[in-house]
Amino acid sequence: MKILICGKGGSGKSTVSVLLARAFNGLGYRVLLVDADESNFGVPHLLGVDAPENLMDSLGGKKGFKQQLNQGLAPDAAFGGKRRMDGIPEKCRVDAGGILMTAVGKIHNFGEGCACPMGVLSKRFLSSLETGENEIVIVDAEAGVEHFGRGVDGQCDLLIGVVDPTAESFLLAEKIIEMGAAAHRDVFFILNKAEPEIEAIMRSRIDPARLLGVIPKSNSLFLASLEGRPLEYPDTGMDEIAKEIIARFAGRSVETLL
């Protein structure tokens, strides 16, 4: 199963992605965490590992990737064809305590151009990636909805929006539902940074049938993210969220949803 985590910038997508990966791993699943946000460099820090070479750089950067596409080289050279987690080049993956992590690509330099090739690579990579019965892929998408425009979401089985206590976040949630429907994908939500006095208000803004769980506001998580330290695994309720996802969606794939 492939799960894409999305939401507005600052909502806690990367934190949720890492905690969810750890929860699934703790439940006995083999997990691959894909960093698909070209502007975020923090995921390896949250996992406590050094960043591997990203997939785009392994292909010679955006220029090299475009050349491979334009020259019609062997599909596998540009991450086409079918592959499993172990088929990711060793230099492009790192083991973070039982969780495999890879990154699609990053913006490195001033004036290097847009991130569109990374969207193409994300789509190709996810479409080529096969998962077994006890394997889960978690994709930490870039902020906003550009990944919908790139068609990346169509390569995943389940879309989860992370919603924080801001009006912008709830407006984006409505758009995610709309675009998810156009992609023929289920959309669900996790409420993040919920304090007791506002949790009821947050819940009232989301259809209960789409709500997977609520993560309370946590100073320990905030400080770890602020300081770039590995996220500890406090009682955030993420285990229950992971179990809820498995109960509802285990065994479903893109093919069965189409």
Side-chain angles (χ1 to χ4, degrees):
M1 179 166 59
K2 302 171 192 173
I3 303 171
L4 184 136
I5 308 296
C6 58
K8 80 170 186 64
S11 63
K13 295 183 294 81
S14 296
T15 295
V16 168
S17 296
V18 169
L19 292 179
L20 193 57
R22 289 186 172 169
F24 280 126
N25 185 242
L27 292 171
Y29 284 80
R30 192 170 187 221
V31 181
L32 171 66
L33 177 56
V34 180
D35 177 3
D37 186 345
E38 64 273 357
S39 301
N40 180 8
F41 294 83
V43 171
H45 297 292
L46 299 181
L47 286 168
V49 296
D50 292 328
E53 181 176 2
N54 66 59
L55 301 176
M56 183 65 76
D57 288 347
S58 77
L59 296 170
K62 290 192 286 188
K63 182 177 180 180
F65 177 59
K66 290 178 181 178
Q67 288 177 341
Q68 291 191 45
L69 295 180
N70 292 336
Q71 293 172 7
L73 299 181
D76 191 61
F79 291 92
K82 296 297 181 182
R83 70 179 68 228
R84 301 296 291 270
M85 293 181 187
D86 290 335
I88 301 171
E90 289 189 13
K91 64 182 178 179
C92 295
R93 68 178 197 249
V94 62
D95 190 316
I99 299 169
L100 288 180
M101 180 260 170
T102 191
V104 175
K106 300 295 176 183
I107 296 293
H108 294 299
N109 303 303
F110 171 78
E112 72 172 72
C114 74
C116 295
M118 295 168 197
V120 175
L121 180 54
S122 291
K123 184 176 179 179
R124 287 179 66 93
F125 173 68
L126 291 172
S127 67
S128 74
L129 191 62
E130 295 183 325
T131 57
E133 183 177 351
N134 292 309
E135 294 180 336
I136 291 179
V137 177
I138 297 175
V139 182
D140 183 17
E142 73 267 39
V145 293
E146 187 168 352
H147 43 88
F148 281 101
R150 296 171 175 174
V152 175
D153 303 72
Q155 310 308 317
C156 296
D157 308 309
L158 176 64
L159 312 181
I160 299 178
V162 180
V163 179
D164 67 0
T166 61
E168 178 188 354
S169 202
F170 286 102
L171 287 172
L172 185 61
E174 295 175 3
K175 189 65 177 179
I176 289 172
I177 292 172
E178 175 189 329
M179 299 186 83
H184 305 290
R185 293 294 176 268
D186 289 327
V187 177
F188 292 84
F189 295 97
I190 294 173
L191 301 181
N192 191 29
K193 307 178 187 178
E195 297 181 83
E197 58 269 25
I198 62 172
E199 181 177 332
I201 298 174
M202 294 179 71
R203 285 179 176 272
S204 71
R205 300 288 300 276
I206 295 292
D207 179 355
R210 293 186 182 274
L211 184 59
L212 292 173
V214 180
I215 301 175
K217 184 177 181 180
S218 168
N219 286 334
S220 63
L221 288 178
F222 173 78
L223 287 174
S225 297
L226 177 65
E227 296 170 359
R229 292 186 283 106
L231 293 182
E232 297 178 359
Y233 195 40
D235 183 15
T236 60
M238 193 60 77
D239 281 340
E240 294 306 313
I241 292 174
K243 291 175 183 178
E244 180 71 12
I245 292 170
I246 292 168
R248 292 196 195 188
F249 309 108
R252 300 179 70 177
S253 65
V254 169
E255 288 75 17
T256 62
L257 291 171
L258 290 175

